[in-house]
Amino acid sequence: MRFRYFDPLQQEIVEGELVDSDQVVELVGVVTGLRADCSPALEFADLDGSSLVLGIAHDRAVVLWTTADGTTRHSVGAHADRITFDYFGACTQVPGHYSVPLADAVDAAGGYVDAVSSGAALVGVGGRAARPSLPLALD
């Protein structure tokens, strides 16, 4: 599985490979340390074309999931205030009710990475790809 994020200090996109959920936790630590006011989003992409984006804002995050066929979904929470994160060089705001606690978002991203890395990504109803373990709303 590939990951990428925008490094605002170097003004470049950082890319690499992931093999398990422990690396998701490490990457969250890296990006949250880059810019406190508007942390860079993390994007995880599978070879099938599906992807998961973590938009991190302090102790909350939005999970944006795109399936291999291009269908998009976002996490659903109960937070009222808008959250802001850096999406590849542009500070992006989303409604607060898209956000969930950061720990839940990291767990969901880690589950997605583990499922894809283990080859379990293609199991499930109708052969759908692995998806994050959070309530999601169709965009």
Side-chain angles (χ1 to χ4, degrees):
M1 163 149 312
R2 302 277 309 156
F3 76 84
R4 68 185 194 131
Y5 63 88
F6 180 75
D7 183 334
L9 303 175
Q10 300 298 319
Q11 292 291 298
E12 64 185 18
I13 293 176
V14 176
E15 297 181 272
E17 294 283 334
L18 288 173
V19 293
D20 64 38
S21 58
D22 291 338
Q23 293 172 299
V24 172
V25 174
E26 291 171 23
L27 282 170
V28 168
V30 169
V31 299
T32 56
L34 289 173
R35 187 172 172 195
D37 62 328
C38 192
S39 294
L42 277 167
E43 181 180 73
F44 306 99
D46 187 17
L47 294 175
D48 72 356
S50 66
S51 67
L52 183 143
V53 173
L54 278 185
I56 303 166
H58 306 288
D59 63 344
R60 304 201 60 79
V62 61
V63 175
L64 306 170
W65 186 54
T66 304
T67 63
D69 69 5
T71 303
T72 59
R73 292 176 172 83
H74 62 80
S75 50
V76 178
H79 194 66
D81 297 329
R82 296 181 75 75
I83 68 163
T84 303
F85 58 91
D86 179 337
Y87 188 74
F88 294 91
C91 278
T92 302
Q93 288 189 346
V94 296
H97 64 271
Y98 283 24
S99 71
V100 295
L102 179 57
D104 293 348
V106 170
D107 286 348
Y112 173 72
V113 170
D114 284 344
V116 169
S117 296
S118 71
L122 298 177
V123 299
V125 178
R128 290 188 182 161
R131 58 181 264 171
S133 57
L134 288 170
L136 298 171
L138 188 62
D139 289 328

